[in-house]
Amino acid sequence: MVNLATIYYGIDAVTWDTSKWNWKANHDMLFMDHLIMGDLDYGPSGKNVNDFIAQAFIPPEHYKGDLAESWEVKEDPLRIEFKLRENVYWMAKDGVMDRREFVAQDVVEHFEAMKSSDRYIPTYWDFIEEWKAEGDHTAVAYLNEFNANWGYRIAWGYYNGIMPPEWHALSGEDKADWKKATGTGPYELTEVARGQRQVYKANEEYWDTTTIEGKTYELPLNDGVVYNIIKDESSSIAALRSGKLDIHESIRWQFVDELKKTAPDLNFKSALKTEGTFIALRTDKKPFNDVRVRRAMNLAVDQRAIQQSLLNGEGALLNYPFSQRWTSLYTPIEELDPQAQAMFEHQPEKAKELLAEAGYPNGFEFDLQVCSCDPYHTDMVAMLQAYYQMVGVEMNIKTLEYGAFRSQMRDENQAEGYLMDNGEGNPFSVLRKSFVSGQTWNPAFYSDEKFDSMWKTALHETDVDKQNEMLRDMNEYIIEEAVPQVWLPTQEFYIAWWPWVKNYDGELRVGAVRPGPIYARIWLDQELKEEMGY
């Protein structure tokens, strides 16, 4: 068994019911497959052009068939045809279904069931007229308009891991029961102990293979995977140091030097986190419905001091909406307009002036919700509180466990300020989910007809160069003019693994937070582990 502290090692599965549209499903549900995934041949062990760290961005040139062997966009009528693999089987599950072959009708019924959920994200699949099964192994999505982000929406993204109709037919209570979950993926879920572990056993009938040094092997290459749920950060580091963990996917800089001294054989890889860190300001309510107040909230904070003190000078001041990884789209701070550049300098007197102009010469009081699950956030709130006191703003800290914290996002009870990390996703998705009107992951409640129109125009543009220009303009518009957030530094993090972990180079995702195919390709050299005394 491969023992892991995953990138989300402190968080249990949110729910086992994928029809609830939870973002974490792909990370936890290693029994699911998708239509398409990222091709690891482009990764560090292959062509080395994609580190597969990105949270939810697979360039089309790095696509590989998963449940679909091939796909094609066709016209007259406009559609996407997926040719599905044969001899792929659903795992039998007592009380749910017998073992049977995966067929095109399963794809059709999955997307229909997901769309009928009361948690369906409005407009997410509005570009699809209907799904049809045209034979047992051809699934066709008929479109009413072209969507440049179709791969993310229906093929390898957050909400398109395919589950069988038999599972969708279960009651809500049964769908939330992990013992009922089944799929075509590399692993079967066999144990869940909340706050402790999730155990996955290798699916002996998994269809995929991998080639290593010219030889083809059936997957998975291991007996299974154990997710170790460790709420205490120091305990997770101790588990790695002692060899109880084979891989730790999320280590803060504070622990790296110590680990290099006490466990010098560990392999390390560093990367910029795949989330932007910010305070979402409720633009639908006073005082944050005034952009001058929102600018003042940025000017009051010394982002560079936070970066130096809490992040050891590492990380990035600006990594949201667009990630620095997207070099052709990202606009550096020094290329923004002067008013936007100023927000990344500590200017408390200017902040006071803006607050006075907006009608708050004596400041105001607001609540900030923060999750206890993130050490960086909990370390930061005292600094934020002090910065805001300097300009007359009183910040009341409301610390919540992850479940309560997440459930209140976009709820009427969400506080005026919401300190969070949000995934970089991909250029279209990050702009949509955080800033398009009414979206589920828009915690600033931001709504702007102009921006909505810009986004829709870019989504339907087929010329890639024109499309990229539109995307850059929208990213700059949010930072320079809309200012719905207080931008905060993004962390650098480290991945560590022991030398006995083979066929692994720190890859994290081959889709939207989807690690299953990566884990399936790992094998453990038990003889080496024993030689090293573990």
Side-chain angles (χ1 to χ4, degrees), residues 303-364:
Q303 291 101 326
R304 285 178 168 78
I306 292 173
Q307 184 182 28
Q308 290 298 319
S309 60
L310 298 184
L311 303 183
N312 199 35
E314 300 177 355
L317 285 178
L318 177 62
N319 197 52
Y320 200 84
F322 282 6
S323 168
Q324 289 191 1
R325 292 182 178 87
W326 308 338
T327 54
S328 63
L329 297 173
Y330 178 80
T331 302
I333 292 173
E334 59 270 18
E335 295 179 15
L336 296 170
D337 71 27
Q339 189 173 219
Q341 290 184 42
M343 291 193 299
F344 297 90
E345 302 290 342
H346 187 211
Q347 298 188 25
E349 293 306 316
K350 178 62 177 176
K352 290 179 182 179
E353 291 177 14
L354 285 174
L355 291 175
E357 287 179 18
Y360 302 96
N362 299 316
F364 56 85

Side-chain angles (χ1 to χ4, degrees), residues 161-456:
I162 308 297
M163 293 291 282
E166 292 90 337
W167 178 86
H168 279 295
L170 296 173
S171 68
E173 181 179 358
D174 281 343
K175 284 191 288 188
D177 182 356
W178 66 266
K179 296 176 183 177
K180 303 292 186 183
T182 189
T184 60
Y187 296 100
E188 177 183 3
L189 183 60
T190 59
E191 180 188 350
V192 173
R194 290 193 67 81
Q196 299 178 51
R197 64 188 167 273
Q198 296 163 205
V199 181
Y200 300 86
K201 181 182 74 173
N203 175 9
E204 295 180 358
E205 287 195 311
Y206 186 52
W207 54 268
D208 202 4
T209 62
T210 192
T211 301
I212 302 173
E213 296 181 352
K215 186 175 180 180
T216 299
Y217 299 87
E218 293 184 353
L219 297 176
L221 299 180
N222 50 66
D223 295 331
V225 170
V226 180
Y227 279 13
N228 292 269
I229 310 300
I230 308 173
K231 303 292 185 179
D232 178 67
E233 187 178 22
S234 296
S235 297
S236 76
I237 299 301
L240 175 66
R241 185 190 301 110
S242 65
K244 293 179 181 178
L245 294 176
D246 301 303
I247 302 170
H248 196 312
E249 294 181 347
S250 182
I251 301 172
R252 291 200 293 162
W253 67 267
Q254 288 93 329
F255 298 94
V256 173
D257 286 345
E258 176 199 359
L259 280 170
K260 287 181 177 179
K261 293 175 183 176
T262 58
D265 293 318
L266 281 169
N267 298 307
F268 286 92
K269 181 175 185 175
S270 65
L272 191 64
K273 284 196 74 170
T274 58
E275 297 90 11
T277 300
F278 55 84
I279 301 173
L281 303 174
R282 288 199 62 164
T283 60
D284 64 327
K285 290 186 173 182
K286 292 182 177 181
F288 300 134
N289 61 343
D290 190 321
V291 70
R292 292 171 296 183
V293 175
R294 303 197 296 270
R295 289 189 188 280
M297 294 292 286
N298 279 274
L299 291 164
V301 174
D302 191 341
Q303 291 101 326
R304 285 178 168 78
I306 292 173
Q307 184 182 28
Q308 290 298 319
S309 60
L310 298 184
L311 303 183
N312 199 35
E314 300 177 355
L317 285 178
L318 177 62
N319 197 52
Y320 200 84
F322 282 6
S323 168
Q324 289 191 1
R325 292 182 178 87
W326 308 338
T327 54
S328 63
L329 297 173
Y330 178 80
T331 302
I333 292 173
E334 59 270 18
E335 295 179 15
L336 296 170
D337 71 27
Q339 189 173 219
Q341 290 184 42
M343 291 193 299
F344 297 90
E345 302 290 342
H346 187 211
Q347 298 188 25
E349 293 306 316
K350 178 62 177 176
K352 290 179 182 179
E353 291 177 14
L354 285 174
L355 291 175
E357 287 179 18
Y360 302 96
N362 299 316
F364 56 85
E365 184 176 343
F366 79 105
D367 291 343
L368 176 80
Q369 287 176 331
V370 59
C371 182
S372 61
C373 60
D374 193 314
Y376 174 42
H377 292 187
T378 54
D379 288 348
M380 194 192 326
V381 289
M383 293 183 71
L384 293 171
Q385 197 170 42
Y387 288 136
Y388 287 132
Q389 285 177 346
M390 291 173 63
V391 298
V393 173
E394 293 295 324
M395 185 179 81
N396 304 313
I397 302 168
K398 306 294 184 183
T399 303
L400 302 171
E401 290 294 326
Y402 180 76
F405 174 80
R406 173 63 187 90
S407 68
Q408 289 195 25
M409 191 180 81
R410 295 283 301 172
D411 184 85
E412 62 180 12
N413 294 322
Q414 182 192 307
E416 300 97 324
Y418 194 82
L419 175 59
M420 68 179 294
D421 285 350
N422 204 346
E424 63 189 26
N426 61 67
F428 279 107
S429 68
V430 73
L431 293 172
R432 173 191 56 78
K433 68 179 179 179
S434 289
F435 309 111
V436 169
S437 300
Q439 290 292 308
T440 304
W441 283 82
N442 179 347
F445 292 76
Y446 181 70
S447 182
D448 181 343
E449 291 182 2
K450 177 181 176 180
F451 182 82
D452 293 351
S453 177
M454 292 167 69
W455 185 83
K456 289 178 182 177

